[in-house]
Amino acid sequence: LPMAFRDVNARRHIGLQQLSSLALAGRTFLGPMKSCKFIVDESTNQSTLICSVVRLMESLDLTSAAGQLLNETIQAQNKEFKTGMSTLLFLVGAWSNAVLECLQQNVPISPIVSVMSEGLNSCCERVQCLQISIHDVNKELCSSSVRPNAFNSKPCQSGRDGLLSPQIFLSFQKDISAPEVIPINSCSHQEDDCNFNKRLVSSLAGSGSVAFLVKPVGDKSTSVISGSGGIASSCNKQKLTHSRYFSTLGKRHFSSQQGNFEGFLSGQSADPCECYGLRHLAMALSHGNESSVKLLQSIVAYQQERAEHSGSSQFNIAEIVTCCLLGLPESYSCVSPGFVTLVSPEQAAVTKYLEDKPLQILLMDGDLTEQYRHLGFNRPCNVRTILEHPRLQEGRAGDSWLSSMLDILLSFEVNLVLVKGSVCENLMARCIANRILVIGSVTRDVLCAFGEVTSAQPVTYLTQLNASCVGSGAQVELWKACDGHAMDLGELVPVRIKARGIPLLTAVLTTTVASKMQLIEDQFWTLVYRLHHALNDEKVFLGGGAVELLCLSHTQMLAEQPFQAANENAVKEFHNPWLAASELEYKSVVLQALASGWKQYLSVVMCNTAKAASELEAYTSLDHHLKKAADSGSPSTYILKEFRRGDLLRDGSSPFADHGVYDNVTAKTEAWRRALDLVLLVLQTDAEIITGPKRNQLLNSPVSSEFMFL
């Protein structure tokens, strides 16, 4: 071997070892049955329960170069997809160990990089056969035994807010001749919201059981209602056309404070196998997160109904926000139309005063402070300000600014101000004294939503305010629990801001365990983005380890191919032009190392889900599946068959065991590529540190240019 490679193998690759060590911390986050971790803040002795790689990275010591690269890679994955970080972190560790093993066997760096890159590209092409369109997923799930009411709970059993809670999904009755309407909510508070729920579920009190049927994206047909007879025979496509209970069905119009929508109960038939649509897809992507599924189903139901009558998108992630309430049981979690946020007790007193009053609303696109300047602002050059008494002058200038800002708000009779950034505390106090509600740290999506329905135009500075910028029609109220009383959770009080026709929905997340709050919010957003990306891709992967098992089978098959350097057909799988023929002898070793990463991934998933008691048992099960897949002649067909039978690496004790499990396509493959790119980048960096850049010819390779994104 060249002297450079001997030097590399004789000295330690610290970067790869650091990646492997850091990846071990997230081992328990892999798979649907995750084991949470407690992160303790030494300065405050407060603990936080986490089950997310992103939160883990925030708590680890990442002062090393490899740690910084790992953090940047995970942050890039999180920023783009909000899912796949656990897979990325684990494969980084697994493939780092695989590369170290190759180096111990004196494999040069060049074939490690080229063969691993080509091997992963080949896997990505091979697993395309396990992609399934969301249209086919709906049909597949419709034919299964699981129905949307599988996760329903008893009506108002937990005293929820009653706003779009999961009880809106009614069970189909077994006997249509003896219909029964399941009550939505027995709560008496917030009459407009209770009416909204009743309108959303049924407008025919006592006329029979109905269900809201969400259609898949792109389906322009009208929703259908049916009794159990229609659903029981849904796969035979028999449709109910005559019933004395549905004789009065037609297009109805409803009105509430949420806007005017045409009734979704139309009486026209749609394809029964398309009926459950996004609700079933969300369930299949949840990976066992039952509580988030219920909330997302409620959001889907609301947005689906609104889309039918306004032409908007059926699932718009920009119309969803969250509000975390500490001190209430988790069963109080619900979805509320409008914007729910937490305010101070003083602001809550102003909210109480402004209840049931039409408000003049102002939107601020920036900070509401004296020192704030918009991005790109340039201060005048060659100007110096000289003060005789700096402290006195600063105090007078501050008072002058506060007075002028308050005068502007009062002159335009503004009652409500939503600010994107921070708010000056002194100005906040003066506004409270004048019964003006100011709320800071509001997202841009919320500002846009209120701007559309109130005609308010965002301004950067209050000095820009004019009559055309002020909107009208907004309302505020204290958020109420099912007992009809406003919730006082200590230092902060939840309030709700709404307006007629606003599309905004707030997922109110509750828990009594402070350390669990962040975990619940992370899990909810993960599921929301999984559904979002599935709809964007218009396809999903078979889940439950099916894709990784095919990658493992395919990689091992490539590694077992006989080496024939003179035969061009032998190198068709690896058509990289800069791969020297003399280096093909390392192909089998490197591919086996790549396959070991897939095998470790699957074994840990099986152990975490209690499918296997140990890694040895997991390896035995995997070898059994691999042998049967190879003997079948078509591994993909075997895996698809086992997946549909439910015998493929899935946890039988999970409530989702009998239901299809699916993964995102783009997010998963990008996690694979980012993991391998990071490992090869650190490998290259380590080699340069050990041997020097002149002796490492890897810099001229096409792969090195792909790493520049980091």
Side-chain angles (χ1 to χ4, degrees):
L1 288 176
M3 183 62 66
F5 294 129
R6 294 180 183 177
D7 291 341
V8 169
N9 297 331
R11 304 174 73 172
R12 301 172 64 187
H13 281 255
I14 303 299
L16 292 176
Q17 294 179 13
Q18 289 175 341
L19 288 181
S20 177
S21 176
L22 291 171
L24 285 175
R27 184 184 181 93
T28 60
F29 294 162
L30 200 62
M33 309 293 289
K34 305 179 188 295
S35 298
C36 302
K37 294 180 180 293
F38 269 109
I39 302 298
V40 181
D41 188 345
E42 295 181 353
S43 60
T44 62
N45 290 328
Q46 293 182 349
S47 60
T48 302
L49 191 65
I50 66 169
C51 200
S52 165
V53 170
V54 176
R55 303 300 173 187
L56 179 65
M57 290 294 105
E58 295 174 354
S59 306
L60 292 180
D61 182 10
L62 302 174
T63 55
S64 64
Q68 290 293 329
L69 288 173
L70 176 61
N71 184 46
E72 291 177 10
T73 305
I74 290 175
Q75 293 297 337
Q77 177 78 11
N78 179 62
K79 182 179 180 180
E80 186 172 359
F81 299 105
K82 294 292 192 298
T83 183
M85 285 77 72
S86 298
T87 296
L88 192 159
L89 180 63
F90 183 87
L91 289 179
V92 164
W95 283 333
S96 294
N97 292 329
V99 169
L100 288 172
E101 292 178 2
C102 290
L103 293 173
Q104 291 176 0
Q105 300 179 49
N106 293 325
V107 178
I109 294 177
S110 180
I112 292 177
V113 174
S114 59
V115 174
M116 276 196 161
S117 299
E118 288 291 316
L120 181 58
N121 290 336
S122 181
C123 287
C124 291
E125 295 176 1
R126 185 68 182 89
V127 298
Q128 289 182 4
C129 62
L130 295 185
Q131 295 177 3
I132 179 173
S133 69
I134 58 176
H135 176 81
D136 295 333
V137 170
N138 294 333
K139 290 186 176 182
E140 182 77 17
L141 297 179
C142 182
S143 62
S144 66
S145 59
V146 178
R147 298 301 180 203
N149 60 328
F151 302 101
N152 282 1
S153 55
K154 295 181 181 180
C156 206
Q157 62 180 359
S158 59
R160 301 181 180 179
D161 188 23
L163 309 181
L164 292 177
S165 57
Q167 291 85 349
I168 66 173
F169 304 107
L170 299 184
S171 303
F172 290 99
Q173 305 305 312
K174 296 183 178 180
D175 185 6
I176 194 171
S177 62
E180 176 186 357
V181 177
I182 300 179
I184 303 301
N185 202 321
S186 60
C187 306
S188 59
H189 72 284
Q190 294 181 334
E191 182 178 358
D192 58 329
D193 297 315
C194 291
N195 290 336
F196 176 79
N197 275 347
K198 294 175 182 178
R199 170 180 61 79
L200 187 61
V201 181
S202 174
S203 62
L204 306 174
S207 63
S209 69
V210 297
F212 181 71
L213 308 179
V214 179
K215 299 177 296 185
V217 173
D219 189 356
K220 302 300 182 181
S221 59
T222 312
S223 301
V224 61
I225 59 172
S226 174
S228 61
I231 293 301
S233 59
S234 60
C235 295
N236 297 328
K237 297 189 177 182
Q238 297 179 4
K239 301 173 182 178
L240 181 64
T241 57
H242 296 84
S243 174
R244 61 189 176 93
Y245 297 106
F246 301 138
S247 59
T248 59
L249 284 179
K251 293 186 177 179
R252 301 193 175 193
H253 294 266
F254 303 89
S255 61
S256 72
Q257 291 186 346
Q258 312 310 321
N260 298 322
F261 299 114
E262 187 179 2
F264 63 88
L265 304 175
S266 64
Q268 299 180 8
S269 297
D271 185 358
C273 287
E274 301 289 348
C275 58
Y276 295 108
L278 304 186
R279 285 160 52 198
H280 253 153
L281 182 60
M283 198 183 302
L285 293 168
S286 65
H287 297 180
N289 188 1
E290 181 181 346
S291 59
S292 296
V293 168
K294 294 179 179 180
L295 297 176
L296 187 54
Q297 284 179 338
S298 300
I299 293 172
V300 166
Y302 177 88
Q303 291 191 346
Q304 171 68 23
E305 185 213 6
R306 187 174 183 274
E308 292 179 0
H309 311 297
S310 63
S312 63
S313 173
Q314 289 190 354
F315 184 72
N316 190 350
I317 201 170
E319 297 175 355
I320 305 172
V321 294
T322 55
C323 179
C324 300
L325 300 185
L326 180 62
L328 293 176
E330 294 180 26
S331 56
Y332 275 64
S333 297
C334 64
V335 179
S336 175
F339 176 51
V340 180
T341 187
L342 299 176
V343 299
S344 66
E346 293 78 12
Q347 292 172 296
V350 177
T351 302
K352 183 66 176 176
Y353 171 78
L354 296 176
E355 276 187 350
D356 303 325
K357 296 179 181 179
L359 306 180
Q360 298 287 99
I361 183 173
L362 171 64
L363 307 178
M364 296 289 298
D365 188 14
D367 295 346
L368 188 51
T369 59
E370 184 178 6
Q371 295 77 21
Y372 174 74
R373 298 295 183 270
H374 63 275
L375 185 63
F377 174 81
N378 295 320
R379 296 183 180 276
C381 300
N382 302 324
V383 175
R384 296 180 60 186
T385 303
I386 301 176
L387 302 176
E388 294 182 1
H389 304 284
R391 295 182 181 178
L392 181 60
Q393 293 286 6
E394 288 178 2
R396 291 177 180 177
D399 291 340
S400 175
W401 180 83
L402 291 175
S403 300
S404 61
M405 295 302 103
L406 183 60
D407 291 341
I408 293 175
L409 294 176
L410 293 175
S411 63
F412 287 97
E413 299 181 351
V414 174
N415 312 106
L416 175 63
V417 183
L418 300 183
V419 185
K420 179 184 175 183
S422 59
V423 181
C424 174
E425 295 183 0
N426 292 333
L427 180 59
M428 174 77 76
R430 294 200 179 191
C431 288
I432 291 176
N434 288 271
R435 293 177 175 176
I436 299 175
L437 181 61
V438 181
I439 297 178
S441 302
V442 179
T443 64
R444 182 180 296 273
D445 291 335
V446 174
L447 295 180
C448 292
F450 278 99
E452 291 177 0
V453 297
T454 64
S455 300
Q457 298 180 12
V459 296
T460 306
Y461 306 99
L462 278 180
T463 52
Q464 300 173 333
L465 188 60
N466 55 58
S468 62
C469 298
V470 180
S472 60
Q475 291 182 310
V476 296
E477 63 184 5
L478 298 178
W479 186 83
K480 299 178 176 64
C482 195
D483 56 7
H485 295 87
M487 299 306 301
D488 185 359
L489 304 178
E491 298 180 357
L492 298 176
V493 180
V495 299
R496 184 164 71 124
I497 308 172
K498 56 185 180 179
R500 180 182 296 274
I502 190 169
L504 200 64
L505 296 174
T506 302
V508 183
L509 308 176
T510 62
T511 183
T512 56
V513 183
S515 59
K516 196 177 179 181
M517 192 77 263
Q518 187 67 69
L519 172 63
I520 294 175
E521 186 178 20
D522 290 342
Q523 289 178 339
F524 171 78
W525 280 115
T526 297
L527 178 55
V528 169
Y529 275 95
R530 281 178 184 164
L531 180 59
H532 172 71
H533 293 307
L535 296 178
N536 285 346
D537 295 339
E538 296 185 352
K539 55 191 176 183
V540 290
F541 269 141
L542 299 184
V547 179
E548 289 79 9
L549 184 60
L550 182 57
C551 287
L552 174 58
S553 174
H554 180 65
T555 307
Q556 288 188 345
M557 180 193 68
L558 295 178
E560 293 169 0
Q561 289 180 352
F563 169 65
Q564 298 176 0
N567 187 358
E568 293 182 359
N569 294 330
V571 283
K572 276 188 176 180
E573 291 291 344
F574 301 94
H575 47 274
N576 200 318
W578 60 277
L579 177 61
S582 60
E583 296 177 351
L584 286 175
E585 58 182 299
Y586 301 107
K587 185 188 75 170
S588 178
V589 176
V590 177
L591 286 177
Q592 288 291 355
L594 182 67
S596 68
W598 298 121
K599 200 166 188 177
Q600 290 179 38
Y601 178 93
L602 291 170
S603 65
V604 171
V605 170
M606 295 176 66
C607 292
N608 288 352
T609 57
K611 188 70 175 180
S614 63
E615 288 194 17
L616 178 61
E617 183 179 337
Y619 284 146
T620 302
S621 177
L622 289 173
D623 291 337
H624 171 74
H625 280 292
L626 291 172
K627 184 178 183 304
K628 295 186 69 174
D631 294 342
S632 68
S634 177
S636 59
T637 303
Y638 168 80
I639 290 173
L640 179 60
K641 178 182 177 182
E642 292 297 305
F643 174 84
R644 293 186 173 178
R645 288 177 53 190
D647 297 335
L648 187 68
L649 311 181
R650 282 195 279 173
D651 179 20
S653 63
S654 171
F656 289 73
D658 296 331
H659 197 277
V661 178
Y662 296 91
D663 295 325
N664 292 120
V665 173
T666 306
K668 180 176 281 289
T669 53
E670 280 301 307
W672 297 347
R673 295 185 186 277
R674 282 189 165 110
L676 184 60
D677 286 350
L678 175 61
V679 171
L680 298 182
L681 174 62
V682 174
L683 169 65
Q684 170 186 317
T685 306
D686 283 351
E688 291 177 2
I689 293 174
I690 296 172
T691 65
K694 292 183 179 180
R695 301 174 65 183
N696 181 16
Q697 300 301 322
L698 191 59
L699 284 173
N700 299 323
S701 68
V703 178
S704 62
S705 62
E706 298 177 3
F707 299 144
M708 296 305 295
F709 77 95
L710 287 173

